[in-house]
Amino acid sequence: MNLPTAHPLVDGRTTNAPLIRAFRGERPDITPIWFMRQAGRSLPEYLKVREGIGMLESCLRPDLASEITLQPVRRHGVDAGIFFSDIVVPLLLAGVDVDIVPGVGPVLGQAVRTPEEVDRLVSQTLTQEAMAPIREAVALTVAELGSTPLIGFAGAPFTLAAYLVEGRPSRDHLAARTMMHADPQSWARLTEWAADVTGMFLRGQVLAGASATQLFDSWAGSLSRADYVTHVAPSSQRALSHVKDLPVSVVHFGTGTEHLLTAMHDVGADVMGVDYRTPLDEANQLLGGTVPLQGNIDPALLAAPWPVLEAHVRDVVERGRTAPAHVVNLGHGVPPHTDPTVLTKIVELVHSLSA
């Protein structure tokens, strides 16, 4: 395996961390916990360091991306950092004209819908030179984290392709779903390109020191199972092939994907993230009782009275005991107006339940 000797899984710093053990299907002494979107607008220290700095610039400044990644680990005592980035960062690094517009989300200079537009896109690539700030940010973060693992981050090919075809966020992804049927050849070329960009982005993070990876397919839940298997799964498998020779576990997560859990696992995932719609014991049954699970506190309950939230967290942990291993997380991301002290209390509660 072509990892530098300083990689934490080579020198043993994170090998026995609770999160890494759980991802391997073991039951550590404590149930590990981290939160999706834990580094973000819920933290006052995040708002302070990002004052006057755009989202994409924040992702591409190694010192700032590292600091933001570390903030929730320091504050909450979570069992992993998740690399601070955005789904569209690999597109930007590959030369795509994209920006994150406040209140809207990722917006492209031009949508990619015709064969000619696909031709122009796939002539661009994600180079090692372009990945330099990502590698530096990961290395800085890993050096500070010590024995706490860092999880690498990337958007799945379908989610990237959906942004490329729609040109902006969409609720139903109608243009993307139309393209996969109306022009399957162009769709395949587009998603293969997105798969390689995603795969290289993940691989770069692992080689720089990330101890695990997570593939986010934010919009896969909009697909039927048949469409996912035929038009999406091959590209997700291709993306994950970029890290299959590396000694790291892969988590695969999507929202509204109960009907896709087995298909999403089959593309090469080691751990399945489960959103708040599917109880963990039911997800475990769907997956045959053999797959470590991650999830799935309902983000809406973070603002509920503590007795309500506490009962919910206890229920999530109990249902997670049915799986081979369980990493507690949210069933999606931290809402921006969440009280950070609530997240810290959840971490303390989960760790106490483990004991």
Side-chain angles (χ1 to χ4, degrees):
M1 297 176 183
N2 56 341
L3 290 172
T5 56
H7 191 281
L9 281 179
V10 173
D11 63 25
R13 275 178 290 163
T14 63
T15 304
N16 292 313
L19 179 102
I20 300 303
R21 291 183 60 197
F23 281 172
R24 292 198 301 255
E26 302 172 19
R27 281 279 177 180
D29 292 337
I30 65 163
T31 298
I33 177 171
W34 66 279
F35 303 103
M36 285 181 281
R37 292 184 188 158
Q38 64 188 15
R41 291 172 290 176
S42 65
L43 297 182
E45 55 265 43
Y46 168 84
L47 297 174
K48 183 176 180 180
V49 298
R50 274 217 44 213
E51 282 181 2
I53 303 173
M55 176 63 181
L56 292 177
E57 182 184 350
S58 301
C59 295
L60 296 177
R61 280 181 45 180
D63 59 336
L64 187 54
S66 177
E67 168 60 22
I68 293 170
T69 302
L70 292 165
Q71 286 176 347
V73 181
R74 297 191 196 111
R75 176 184 275 264
H76 303 309
V78 286
D79 296 293
I82 177 74
F83 182 60
F84 179 73
S85 188
D86 188 88
I87 281 174
V88 299
V89 166
L91 300 181
L92 180 69
L93 295 178
V96 175
D97 180 11
V98 60
D99 194 14
I100 297 178
V101 178
V104 178
V107 176
L108 278 81
Q110 180 183 357
V112 179
R113 298 184 180 179
T114 68
E116 294 74 24
E117 288 164 349
V118 172
D119 286 341
R120 286 195 291 272
L121 176 71
V122 301
S123 67
Q124 302 167 229
T125 188
L126 178 55
T127 65
Q128 289 298 313
E129 182 180 7
M131 280 288 295
I134 305 302
R135 292 194 302 272
E136 183 180 347
V138 169
L140 287 171
T141 306
V142 168
E144 290 292 327
L145 284 173
S147 61
T148 301
L150 176 68
I151 302 170
F153 163 94
F158 173 71
T159 291
L160 293 184
Y163 276 121
L164 288 164
V165 176
E166 302 288 345
R168 61 194 302 115
S170 166
R171 288 187 177 182
D172 56 14
H173 317 291
L174 190 61
R177 292 189 292 116
T178 296
M179 183 181 179
M180 71 170 58
H181 293 285
D183 188 357
Q185 290 79 19
S186 292
W187 175 258
R189 294 178 65 225
L190 174 64
T191 53
E192 286 171 2
W193 178 87
D196 289 337
V197 167
T198 287
M200 288 186 283
F201 192 67
L202 284 176
R203 186 176 182 85
Q205 293 171 70
V206 175
L207 293 178
S211 297
T213 61
Q214 178 156 309
L215 191 68
F216 288 77
D217 212 345
S218 306
W219 310 130
S222 66
L223 299 168
S224 69
R225 182 179 175 89
D227 280 352
Y228 180 85
V229 170
T230 302
H231 298 287
V232 174
S235 60
S236 291
Q237 186 171 24
R238 180 171 176 146
L240 295 182
S241 72
H242 286 260
V243 295
K244 270 302 174 185
D245 65 315
L246 304 178
V248 294
S249 297
V250 173
V251 186
H252 202 181
F253 174 79
T255 57
T257 53
E258 178 177 350
H259 63 301
L260 303 179
L261 281 178
T262 56
M264 291 177 69
H265 174 253
D266 289 346
V267 302
D270 303 297
V271 182
M272 285 306 301
V274 182
D275 84 350
Y276 59 89
R277 298 169 180 86
T278 308
L280 290 177
D281 51 343
E282 295 180 18
N284 180 59
Q285 192 170 21
L286 287 169
L287 290 161
T290 61
V291 181
L293 299 181
Q294 180 176 277
N296 66 342
I297 297 167
D298 187 342
L301 270 68
L302 295 178
W306 175 251
V308 175
L309 176 57
E310 180 183 2
H312 174 56
V313 172
R314 288 177 179 272
D315 182 65
V316 166
V317 171
E318 189 61 33
R319 291 177 187 272
R321 296 191 197 281
T322 64
H326 177 211
V327 173
V328 176
N329 207 304
L330 299 180
H332 203 197
V334 176
H337 301 298
T338 301
D339 180 353
T341 63
V342 170
L343 299 180
T344 305
K345 285 184 72 173
I346 293 174
V347 173
E348 293 169 350
L349 173 61
V350 169
H351 286 167
S352 73
L353 293 176
S354 304

